[in-house]
Amino acid sequence: MILNETQSAIVDAVRAFAQDRIRPFSLNFETAGAYPPELFQEIAALGLMGMTISEDLGGAGADYVSYALALMEIAAADGALSTIISIQNSLIVGSLARTGTEEQKARFLPDLIAGRMLGAFALTEADAGSDASAIRTRATRVDGGWRLNGAKQFITSGKIAGLTIVYAVTDPDAGKRGITGFLVPTDRQGYIVDKVEHKLGQAASDTCAIRFDDLFLEDDLRFGTEGGGYSLALSNLEVGRIGIAAQAIGMAQAALDIAVGYARDRMSMGKAIIEHQAVGFRLADLAAKLEAARQLVLHAASAKDAGLPCLKEASMAKLVASETAETVVSGAIQTLGGYGYLEEFGLAKIYRDVRVCQIYEGTSDIQRMVIARAL
């Protein structure tokens, strides 16, 4: 895909910011297990917290190709941060802009798009991951609203979010049609962070087990139609999977850049190791596979821009990009040999961060199921 002038400018601007303000501090963020809150407002100032949202709602009004490109650049600097930004754009701000009432948009969108508030998306439960229809969290109608009880698992930004979109069963006899979405301000009594998970990677992005203990919600915090929560939750799959695919590409590109730079500088037997066929061919294969995956991601994004159904394309992009990314990062580590295994060269962190791309927003197995159904 040949980028237009606007898309190229976005890449240049986001890359400059990410390499200056994010990448040098990535290990510090990981050690701290958090990001400074002001960083999110700096990111928002670039238009990255509501990229594809129309300007009349406060967004940047960018296309989905630009969104994917921006996520690649953020991920190349810090994988965990790109996860937060992806969820903020697709599952929170994008969902609110499409489905929220005018009152809900006015109440929450300004702070979310400005980076003053982060959002979390709470669908997954301990016994309901890929099978979203099996959730058990209940919302019971009471005078003036609802009472929410239950627990959610693997919730990104569950601790630091100001707003969590929660999906709960409102009619247990209606199956998938008995699930409803709710907008839950996290300062409400009954919103409890039971645990911040200790993970293999992406440590700076908190992942939490959340519990709701008789949490009261007014009627105006119901999100979408009663019973329409299941289809609403799944309606974000295209953009969400494009986002995860894009972040996988960004992390893999960062790893490949490190490997190529090292291979140019490292001398062995009188020449740079990239000139040795064993190393040069490995890097050539990795570069070709990564470029193919990148084009698949940009194709899915361009289909979304064209208003075409693209769940198959998004699933293909996520499947190929996430699995290719692990291959690329592993090959980059191999290129550096023992140095690739050391923290100071940066590949170890990327390797930790990239592995989850094959799991969240639909596992690779789920992507294959979606693609097979489309065939």
Side-chain angles (χ1 to χ4, degrees), residues 243-278:
I244 301 306
Q247 73 165 181
I249 297 297
M251 285 186 268
Q253 185 64 61
L256 183 61
D257 290 345
I258 292 171
V260 170
Y262 178 86
R264 286 173 175 164
D265 294 338
R266 177 76 160 89
M267 303 297 293
S268 177
M269 303 174 193
K271 57 184 177 182
I273 64 171
I274 198 169
E275 297 178 32
H276 292 287
Q277 191 176 87

Side-chain angles (χ1 to χ4, degrees), residues 61-85:
D63 58 16
Y64 286 98
V65 169
S66 296
Y67 168 63
L69 293 166
L71 272 181
M72 290 177 192
E73 296 302 328
I74 295 293
D78 189 288
L81 185 58
S82 68
T83 296
I84 295 173
I85 295 174

Side-chain angles (χ1 to χ4, degrees), residues 262 332-343 345-349:
Y262 178 86
I333 291 174
Q334 195 69 25
T335 300
L336 271 67
Y339 292 112
Y341 213 62
L342 303 181
E343 290 290 352
F345 284 81
L347 290 174
K349 181 181 184 301

Side-chain angles (χ1 to χ4, degrees), residues 56 59 90 98 113 142 151 175 186 189 237 253 274 322 335 344 354:
D56 63 323
S90 63
R98 286 190 302 274
I113 292 174
V142 296
T186 61
Q189 184 176 355
L237 291 180
Q253 185 64 61
I274 198 169
S322 61
T335 300
E344 63 193 274
V354 82

